[in-house]
């Protein structure tokens, strides 16, 4: 079938669905996010919103998948390393403070 003879059916919104869609598209934040070239055409607005929603879902899914791909002990190893680094930072801070105190005793201001 060539494109000239194709018959396409649009999405039909009845009563409450149409009203709800209209209210959603009137949201000021959403309206500001929709590119200006799509703001006057409802079908383009809906299509843009669906594309953005799919991007959000795909991004969230890849983030969740990467979080779940840690080997069993790796996450605990990372927590242990963070705790070790915190203790090193504390030791360095104490040494720096001690140096400042000693410096004040013999260093003229």
């Amino acid at each position: 079938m060539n494109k000239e003879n194709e018959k396409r059916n649009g999405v039909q919104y009845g009563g409450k669905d149409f009203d709800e869609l209209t209210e959603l598209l009137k949201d000021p934040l959403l309206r500001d996010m929709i590119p200006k070239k799509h703001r006057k055409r409802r079908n383009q607005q809906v299509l843009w919103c669906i594309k953005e929603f799919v991007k959000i879902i795909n991004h969230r899914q890849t983030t969740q998948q990467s979080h779940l791909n840690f080997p069993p002990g790796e996450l605990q190893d990372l927590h242990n390393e963070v705790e070790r680094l915190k203790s090193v930072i504390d030791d360095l801070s104490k040494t720096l403070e001690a140096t400042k105190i000693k410096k004040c005793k013999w260093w003229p201001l």
Side-chain angles (χ1 to χ4, degrees):
M1 217 190 319
N2 64 30
K3 289 189 176 188
E4 294 172 7
N5 294 332
E6 285 183 20
K7 181 180 178 185
R8 295 186 179 159
N9 294 326
V11 177
Q12 301 295 320
Y13 299 100
K16 279 187 150 184
D17 292 338
F18 183 79
D19 295 339
E20 189 171 349
L21 176 65
T22 302
E23 286 303 311
L24 288 170
L25 293 175
K26 284 182 181 178
D27 181 83
L29 183 61
L30 179 62
R31 190 177 55 236
D32 289 344
M33 298 267 316
I34 295 175
K36 288 182 181 180
K37 65 182 179 181
H38 299 309
R39 290 184 190 171
K40 299 284 183 190
R41 300 169 59 193
R42 183 182 317 276
N43 288 344
Q44 292 298 318
Q45 289 176 347
V46 172
L47 184 61
W48 182 88
C49 290
I50 292 171
K51 285 178 182 178
E52 288 300 308
F53 183 67
V54 168
K55 286 179 192 175
I56 291 168
I57 289 173
N58 286 335
H59 179 67
R60 187 181 76 194
Q61 184 176 8
T62 57
T63 302
Q64 287 174 345
Q65 287 171 345
S66 66
H67 176 70
L68 297 175
N69 287 337
F70 278 111
E74 187 175 348
L75 195 56
Q76 185 59 40
D77 290 343
L78 289 172
H79 285 297
N80 293 342
E81 184 66 16
V82 167
E83 290 302 317
R84 187 187 71 76
L85 290 172
K86 283 180 181 178
S87 69
V88 169
I89 290 171
D90 289 342
D91 291 343
L92 288 172
S93 297
K94 289 175 186 175
T95 303
L96 181 61
E97 281 300 315
T99 305
K100 287 180 181 178
I101 293 171
K102 290 177 186 175
K103 183 178 179 181
C104 292
K105 290 181 180 177
W106 57 268
W107 192 271
L109 294 176

